[in-house]
Amino acid sequence: MVCLASCSDDERRGVGEQTTSSGSPGIRLHLPRTEPTVRVRLESGRIDDGPITVGERGITLEIDGESDSTSRLPGPVLVEHRGNHWIVRSAPNGEPIHHSGSTIRIRSDEPLRIAGGEHRFAGVLHCIASESGSWHLVEHVSMEDYIPGVLAGELYAGWNVSCYAAQAVAARSFACMEVQMRSHRDWDVVASPASQAYVGITENRTAHEAQAMTRGMVLSWNEQLVPGYFSSCCGGLAATAVDQISPSPVNDIPPLEGHDGDDPCSNSPLFEWKIDRSARVLHRRLAAWSSHHRNHPLERLTSIESIDVHRRNRHGRPNILRITDRGGRRADLTIQEFLEASNFRGEGAPRSSMKPLWSGWSSGSVDRGRITIKGHGFGHGVGLCQYGAQELGVQGKSFREILKWYYPESDIHAGW
């Protein structure tokens, strides 16, 4: 495999000691000094799923293994892993070429499609087989080539350039964090909202303009990198990263404690919403989640009578919900836990086509076996709110002003 190449020795080690805003010893995210390569997991599967198609007709692909010479094949190619080898052949019936080892690299002078999908990717593709019997297709792409594909995947075409530029700085900061924190993994981010949406090569002109005007810029505070968390719509009030992401010391910093005052994101169709559900099915889903996570107070509930806000953060946004059953038993969950539990589809969860909740900021009460859940926003609400950033841009705010609103006390660091 090709290692991440453009980080300094300190950055390659990832994190170091610091003192958090609460005064406790913790970990520190280093500010980048050079442009990193981002490893984006595009696809995953099981070894026995069969071959995956890479490329298309009319292009030539170069394939090399960990110790083998380079092979050149006309596209598209079929790629699969058997035993201790990767097998690559031109589709549909080309002569197979074997490459030993757990990883092969695929590159081309032309952008590559994967499995006939609509998106194209210009980075080097790494096919990685794991000991667990799974495989991963990971694109290695420079940060600045990565960012336009994130902007096109995360924001609506037609939104203003200030919103795009603020999102570019946040997305770059988030990716730089993942590069540091996941150096022991085979990839840094996935090409989906689980990390941040990414569509590869894009012709979105605003995305390229925003990338160029913010090139190398990341969020900083106290000489350290600020994780650039963001969500679609915060519902009007800011969440804190310690409450909604994790209590990790990298989140316990002023820029991630949220802004005071109402956010201008009311234009979002999910600023406020309602979902009607079967109380019985919802209870079974919460019970399955609690069993999976050994959340014993929630496991003791025999039904659901109500879901109420129990505690709020300093901005007025709920962060703890209280679930009460008909017998008066109670269980408290963070709103992120409630979101995960309500949408849980793991072992023991009922098979149901229930519409998923968009946010854990929710409440509701049972009437005749049904529960109407009233909610606010879409996502965790930490950091930049995309609908709010768009509205601030419409109001004439610059991307720097937008970032100051969403990441208080932060600065912008020019990393490269």
Side-chain angles (χ1 to χ4, degrees), residues 66-101:
E66 296 174 351
S67 59
D68 302 323
S69 59
T70 300
S71 304
R72 291 176 174 81
L73 295 174
V77 297
L78 299 177
V79 183
E80 61 183 320
H81 194 268
R82 294 182 190 170
N84 197 33
H85 292 79
W86 283 98
I87 302 173
V88 185
R89 59 184 173 86
S90 292
N93 299 309
E95 189 70 21
I97 296 176
H98 295 252
H99 290 277
S100 61

Side-chain angles (χ1 to χ4, degrees), residues 253-269:
I253 56 177
L256 298 180
E257 291 176 354
H259 60 79
D260 294 325
D262 295 340
D263 199 77
C265 57
S266 59
N267 285 336
S268 168

Side-chain angles (χ1 to χ4, degrees), residues 23 31 125 160 184 229 270 300 310 394 416:
L31 288 170
L125 302 182
N160 63 76
H184 62 290
Y229 300 123
L270 295 176
R300 289 195 291 269
H310 180 57
V394 170
W416 54 88

